Amino acid sequence: MTDAANPANATTESALAPTPGHGRVLLAAPRGYCAGVDRAVETVEKALEKYGAPVYVRKEIVHNRYVVDTLAERGAVFVDQTFEAPEGAHLVFSAHGVSPAVHEEARSLSLKTLDATCPLVTKVHNEVKRFARDGYHILLVGHEGHEEVEGTAGEAPDVTHLVDGVEGVEKLPDFLHNEKLVWLSQTTLSVDETMEIVKLLHEKFEHLQDPPSDDICYATQNRQVAVKAIAADSDLFIVVGSQNSSNSKRLVEVALQAGSKAAYLVDYAKQIDPSWLEGVHTVGLSSGASVPEILVQEVLAFLAERGFSDVEEVTTAAEKITFALPRDLRPQHN
Ligand code: SF4
């Protein structure tokens, strides 16, 4: 019940968290691990099993603190640059993908590479290659400095132009009418914001072509739809995920845009400030695509201890997608 629905109690109750059993949690589904993250994490686990520690991983395998720390404890060594892995070592490329230049560098160092790039990121790489080959300029909607964008743009750096946010549209050069133009995107963007940017791109470049299919992946889209479904009924929205996780950050933005009064991103339950719960009756809860369910369960336990024990899961889609492991780690190769 909201204060507005019970005005007689608004002043006295609004400053307090609900008494046990009176607070409600709306739990978004789908949430958490997507097929690409599942595959990437399993790639490192299987590589450790098959080859033994250390197995080197270029960048964070997925953008989640807990996942990275857990794999590091098991013998994964995370490096920022390819050359930090010793010659001949096993090196895993993260789910975000890498440019051809990075593949080449790994080859020159005789590294044994395992590619955990999500197949849906690889799909965008292939689109960049194809459109570049066909003479297009590519307007890549995405966040500057994000590893996925660096890898994707690296497929055709001379003809790929990054569009970072609405402001990025103005920064683009003027393309002539006879120059072929197509837009593509990072896989983990806000669907609504991307559509706004694309609308501006179409206004600026009348001859701009749309991509053959969506680049924002099914998991990103499904998690945003699930958050939207419950955000308006939430006084507070908690998204479990790391600060450098693009899709997790987008969920916080989506929750606020869809009507939640407040929204926060936390890695762990212990980061929840109890003062956030003051006057709150309904908490919306979700997690980014790189977040293991155990972290969500810890948040649910934290909330239950503070009176939010009525949990309702709201499901907006069923996900059945899985991706096969890199060839060298499939069972027949053991
Ligand atoms: Fe792949 Fe989408 Fe998951 Fe990224 S969020 S790893 S693109 S399924």
Side-chain angles (χ1 to χ4, degrees):
M1 187 190 303
T2 64
D3 289 335
N6 188 7
N9 291 336
T11 7
T12 46
E13 284 188 6
S14 65
L16 301 170
T19 47
H22 285 72
R24 181 169 73 134
V25 180
L26 295 176
L27 184 57
R31 63 180 176 277
Y33 268 21
C34 58
V37 164
D38 207 27
R39 171 181 185 267
V41 173
E42 204 183 338
T43 296
V44 180
E45 289 170 345
K46 292 274 185 232
L48 284 165
E49 271 171 36
K50 185 169 177 178
Y51 308 117
V55 164
Y56 291 79
V57 183
R58 187 182 181 277
K59 311 277 185 189
E60 292 189 349
I61 183 71
V62 297
H63 286 152
N64 184 265
R65 199 62 260 148
Y66 174 91
V67 170
V68 168
D69 290 347
T70 307
L71 290 172
E73 278 165 24
R74 296 176 57 183
V77 177
F78 291 89
V79 294
D80 214 36
Q81 302 292 337
T82 310
F83 61 76
E84 291 174 59
E87 195 171 335
H90 284 98
L91 177 71
V92 180
F93 291 138
S94 80
H96 309 103
V98 295
S99 68
V102 173
H103 280 286
E104 185 47 45
E105 186 184 7
R107 258 192 301 275
S108 72
L109 294 168
S110 308
L111 297 170
K112 301 183 191 87
T113 57
L114 296 153
D115 193 353
T117 303
C118 176
L120 300 181
V121 173
T122 302
K123 167 188 161 269
V124 187
H125 280 232
N126 291 337
E127 285 173 344
V128 169
K129 282 192 269 190
R130 182 162 64 81
F131 282 112
R133 202 173 48 231
D134 291 348
Y136 281 78
H137 282 277
I138 295 149
L139 308 184
L140 180 62
V141 183
H143 296 298
E144 188 162 13
H146 190 280
E147 284 146 50
E148 180 188 323
V149 162
E150 286 175 356
T152 306
E155 291 288 356
D158 296 341
V159 292
T160 303
H161 311 266
L162 183 64
V163 187
D164 188 352
V166 168
E167 313 77 52
V169 177
E170 282 312 308
K171 294 182 189 158
L172 287 167
D174 286 327
F175 294 100
L176 299 174
H177 213 79
N178 60 359
E179 289 181 296
K180 293 198 275 186
L181 269 188
V182 65
W183 71 270
L184 300 174
S185 88
Q186 190 178 331
T187 57
T188 51
L189 301 180
S190 151
V191 175
D192 294 340
E193 197 195 348
T194 304
M195 288 307 113
E196 200 186 321
I197 294 167
V198 169
K199 188 168 159 275
L200 293 174
L201 288 174
H202 273 297
E203 282 169 14
K204 192 173 164 88
F205 306 110
E206 281 175 10
H207 62 302
L208 176 69
Q209 230 175 278
D210 290 324
S213 62
D214 266 352
D215 291 330
I216 299 179
C217 77
Y218 80 97
T220 298
Q221 297 198 32
N222 285 348
R223 278 148 194 71
Q224 289 176 15
V225 168
V227 165
K228 270 190 195 173
I230 57 178
D233 293 326
S234 304
D235 304 305
L236 165 71
F237 211 104
I238 295 174
V239 176
V240 186
S242 291
Q243 288 295 338
N244 60 348
S245 162
S246 172
N247 80 86
S248 302
K249 284 172 84 171
R250 300 296 80 79
L251 293 181
V252 174
E253 294 166 3
V254 167
L256 290 170
Q257 282 156 7
S260 177
K261 296 189 185 82
Y264 297 97
L265 182 64
V266 297
D267 263 303
Y268 299 106
K270 65 184 179 201
Q271 292 171 343
I272 298 171
D273 184 335
S275 71
W276 297 348
L277 300 172
E278 286 174 8
V280 166
H281 290 266
T282 301
V283 178
L285 179 60
S286 186
S287 55
S290 48
V291 178
E293 180 62 12
I294 186 175
L295 301 180
V296 174
Q297 293 303 319
E298 284 173 13
V299 170
L300 285 172
F302 177 99
L303 292 172
E305 278 169 21
R306 286 154 184 84
F308 294 84
S309 45
D310 173 12
V311 180
E312 185 189 335
E313 189 167 62
V314 178
T315 305
T316 50
E319 292 182 345
K320 297 197 174 81
I321 294 177
T322 55
F323 296 130
L325 285 170
R327 193 174 303 276
D328 288 351
L329 297 174
R330 290 179 200 163
Q332 63 271 28
H333 281 84
N334 279 335

